[in-house]
Amino acid sequence: MKNSTALIFATILFSTAINAQLKTVKYSEGNTTLNGLSIKPAKKSSQNPGILILPAWLGIDNASKGYAENLSKLGYNVFIADIYGEGNVPKNTTEAGKLAGFYKTNYEAYQKRINAALQELIKSGANADNIVIIGYCFGGTGVLEAARAHLNVKGVVSFHGGLGKDASRKTEPITTKVLICHGADDPYVSAEEVAACQQEMRDAKADWQMIYYADSVHSFTNPEAGNDNSKGAAYNAVAAKRSFEHLKLFLGEVLKK
């Protein structure tokens, strides 16, 4: 039954292979050329709500494309950010770790790349005052940086993201709403990191919530992550479905449609 549920949800998620509507958008930040993906909502709304997706550390992948198409079907303008830039797509996890590590350390550079993508989402038709940023893994770290940078968004959602922040950095008020969807057994995010993030949210006086998903590790929303929890990253169909429902509830609360 569990495998059947996984297959059904993954099939729905990756329907993009049948009816792809994502279009490549070339843009830039500083001297770097970037290639994001944009998709229009299935049904237009006078409120033009928008969602910016920050992908995981390997860059724009099938998982982010699948979520983009499904969110467009729900009536959202969606843009998938390119963080690394043209010619910098990592070939493997080793390269991805180095690239992602650079932006985690140089968080202001990460914030600028996120903001550049945000502006492209607005150019594509999204209402600048009606946007949420969501991110997966490395992108889940990015949404917290977007909140810390005070980007003009109504909310941010982190899925199995890194939650850490250099202790030397000053904690400032966070005015956007925050949802953190976290695997209860994620080995890559320590209990200390979780506790520090929660304390940051309290100190920042943020409107935040954190939801844990049982039997879930890193990458629990990605059907291509396999199903072996012992590897530290694995797909969990139940957690993926529940977290998507939690995302929809959050979107319904903070965005106008």
Side-chain angles (χ1 to χ4, degrees):
M1 183 65 183
K2 183 176 179 181
N3 290 336
S4 297
T5 302
L7 179 61
I8 292 170
F9 188 70
T11 300
I12 294 172
L13 179 63
F14 288 96
S15 60
T16 52
I18 299 174
N19 186 26
Q21 299 176 31
L22 289 158
K23 295 182 179 179
T24 300
V25 176
K26 190 177 290 289
Y27 63 111
S28 63
E29 188 279 307
N31 296 320
T32 302
T33 299
L34 304 158
N35 294 289
L37 292 176
S38 178
I39 186 168
K40 298 289 187 181
K43 183 182 292 186
K44 290 190 176 181
S45 160
S46 61
Q47 301 296 333
N48 293 321
I51 298 176
L52 174 62
I53 297 179
L54 306 183
W57 68 346
L58 285 170
I60 297 175
D61 55 12
N62 288 331
S64 56
K65 292 175 185 177
Y67 279 109
E69 176 137 331
N70 278 280
L71 289 166
S72 75
K73 291 175 182 176
L74 296 177
Y76 298 100
N77 291 274
V78 186
F79 190 86
I80 308 176
D82 174 10
I83 300 300
Y84 302 142
E86 192 169 80
N88 290 320
V89 178
K91 299 181 181 64
N92 50 51
T93 56
T94 300
E95 290 187 5
K98 291 178 180 178
L99 285 167
F102 171 83
Y103 286 100
K104 287 179 181 179
T105 301
N106 297 277
Y107 65 89
E108 291 180 334
Y110 197 5
Q111 292 170 347
K112 288 179 180 179
R113 287 289 162 89
I114 295 168
N115 187 52
L118 179 62
Q119 300 314 309
E120 292 303 315
L121 172 60
I122 295 168
K123 289 179 185 177
S124 75
N127 182 340
D129 296 315
N130 199 27
I131 291 173
V132 161
I133 303 179
I134 70 175
Y136 301 85
C137 298
F138 170 55
T141 302
V143 305
L144 296 180
E145 289 300 345
R148 293 168 184 141
H150 307 295
L151 297 188
N152 181 33
V153 294
K154 295 299 182 182
V156 300
V157 185
S158 173
F159 294 90
H160 42 82
L163 307 177
K165 175 173 74 75
D166 190 322
S168 66
R169 289 174 62 184
K170 181 181 178 181
T171 296
E172 298 181 354
I174 290 177
T175 55
T176 193
K177 297 181 187 295
V178 179
L179 169 61
I180 299 171
C181 299
H182 187 68
D185 300 325
D186 190 332
Y188 297 121
V189 182
S190 68
E192 291 76 16
E193 188 173 319
V194 171
C197 179
Q198 293 181 355
Q199 189 59 51
E200 178 191 2
M201 293 297 113
R202 296 185 183 96
D203 293 341
K205 301 191 183 307
D207 180 347
W208 68 285
Q209 54 190 311
M210 185 169 184
I211 302 174
Y212 292 84
Y213 300 95
D215 193 34
S216 298
V217 291
H218 210 61
S219 301
F220 64 78
T221 64
N222 188 350
E224 296 183 346
N227 58 11
D228 185 353
N229 277 15
S230 70
K231 293 183 178 180
Y235 179 60
N236 183 304
V238 173
K241 183 177 180 180
R242 287 176 178 171
S243 62
F244 193 68
E245 291 300 316
H246 288 138
L247 169 63
K248 290 194 293 182
L249 285 172
F250 184 80
L251 296 174
E253 175 188 336
V254 305
L255 294 182
K256 297 177 181 177
K257 289 188 75 176

